[in-house]
Amino acid sequence: MRFTKMHGCGNDYVYVNCFEESVSSPQQLAKAVSDRHFGIGSDGLVLILPSDTADCRMRMFNPDGSESEMCGNAIRCVAKYVYDKGIIHKPVVTVETLAGIKIIEVHTDENDIAQTLTVDMGAPVIEAGEVPVIAETSPVTDLMLSAWGREFRFTCVSMGNPHAVTFISENVSEFEVEKYGKVFECDEHFPRRANIEFAEIVSPERLKMRVWERGTGETLACGTGTCATVAAACLNGICPRKPVTVELLGGELVIEWKESDGHIYMTGPAEYTFEGDYYGKV
């Protein structure tokens, strides 16, 4: 099986061009290729497929084999791949996902190579039942959860997948993300588990964030999580509805929740790492 390794702000996946390749068991393949000792090593597996409703379709699988609805960093890489490879060579690419069809604007360099991409992530979902989160009020901006003797206040948002965002007062770079993240991911308030974001407020237009991803663990970046974090900041009056730069372990993303259409727009890079042949079972 031919594959391409790509990353967006260090959030790295194995990409398979299913216009040419065939994968019979993506759940098992995701577990195998994601292993950083016995496989290729990645945050998961992404299949790039034909679509009846968009330019192409993306399926994304976590290292534990579970399928996720959407991944903001991965979808930028998918758009770059199909643009650069000439599969869909258009300035605006549409990608079908389990969270709906996403529209991506491609920004190229002087050699017509995609460098950064802007994704229309759609409107954030803040109704409790649709996130989903079990809570007495909606939207959920004050869900109090505790772990290891410490209490946190969460705002819950869906960007096609469930997120719970908490703003902490200390330096997020030194925060024990794994200790708390793996507890909150499986909290009983989240019927489909949740991605957990820990954010530090630098200024109204700059945040720092680390993420514990559902089914994966901590990653260097999470596109949907970054969008959810900015949405949560706006809901809590922390950030304005203007472009906000979010510092992640793997780089920076610029997020804007526009007043004009209510959609969130994410701009960031997508890069190739290497290509190769995988000889395991597919």
Side-chain angles (χ1 to χ4, degrees), residues 19 54 80 96 121 126 195 210 246:
F19 284 83
K80 175 178 173 62
E96 177 189 353
M121 299 290 286
I126 57 176
N195 301 282
R210 289 173 64 190
V246 183

Side-chain angles (χ1 to χ4, degrees), residues 131-248:
V131 172
V133 54
I134 299 171
E136 295 181 357
T137 60
S138 183
V140 182
T141 58
D142 58 354
L143 179 67
M144 303 303 296
L145 300 178
S146 60
W148 301 105
R150 180 172 174 180
E151 196 168 51
F152 296 81
R153 175 175 173 263
F154 284 95
T155 297
C156 300
V157 178
S158 173
M159 292 303 307
N161 51 359
H163 294 269
V165 181
T166 185
F167 296 94
I168 61 175
S169 57
E170 66 259 48
N171 185 346
V172 74
S173 300
E174 300 175 358
F175 186 77
E176 296 177 287
V177 168
E178 180 178 2
K179 177 180 178 179
Y180 293 98
K182 63 184 179 182
V183 175
F184 292 135
E185 173 194 353
C186 302
D187 188 272
E188 62 183 6
H189 290 83
F190 307 122
R192 297 209 311 264
R193 297 186 291 167
N195 301 282
I196 309 298
E197 284 78 31
F198 301 93
E200 174 189 350
I201 304 164
V202 179
S203 74
E205 295 180 0
R206 179 170 288 269
L207 304 172
K208 290 183 178 179
M209 187 270 280
R210 289 173 64 190
V211 58
W212 179 266
E213 290 201 52
R214 177 185 59 168
T216 302
E218 185 175 14
T219 59
L220 296 182
C222 175
T224 56
T226 309
C227 294
T229 297
V230 172
C234 292
L235 289 171
N236 285 282
I238 296 167
C239 293
R241 297 280 284 268
K242 295 179 180 180
V244 176
T245 299
V246 183
E247 301 177 34
L248 307 159

Side-chain angles (χ1 to χ4, degrees), residues 1-3 14 16 21-26 28-35 38-40 45 276-282:
M1 179 190 76
R2 192 71 180 165
F3 71 89
V14 171
V16 179
E21 303 283 349
S22 178
V23 174
S24 60
S25 180
Q28 293 303 313
L29 182 62
K31 295 179 183 179
V33 300
S34 298
D35 192 293
F38 299 100
I40 300 166
L45 170 71
D277 294 301
Y278 177 73
Y279 293 97
K281 185 177 180 181
V282 298

Side-chain angles (χ1 to χ4, degrees), residues 27-61:
Q27 294 85 357
Q28 293 303 313
L29 182 62
K31 295 179 183 179
V33 300
S34 298
D35 192 293
R36 296 189 185 272
H37 298 286
F38 299 100
I40 300 166
S42 68
D43 288 332
L45 170 71
V46 175
L47 306 182
I48 304 171
L49 305 113
S51 170
D52 293 329
T53 58
D55 291 324
C56 63
R57 180 164 67 104
M58 177 183 89
R59 293 186 70 189
M60 178 265 180
F61 297 86

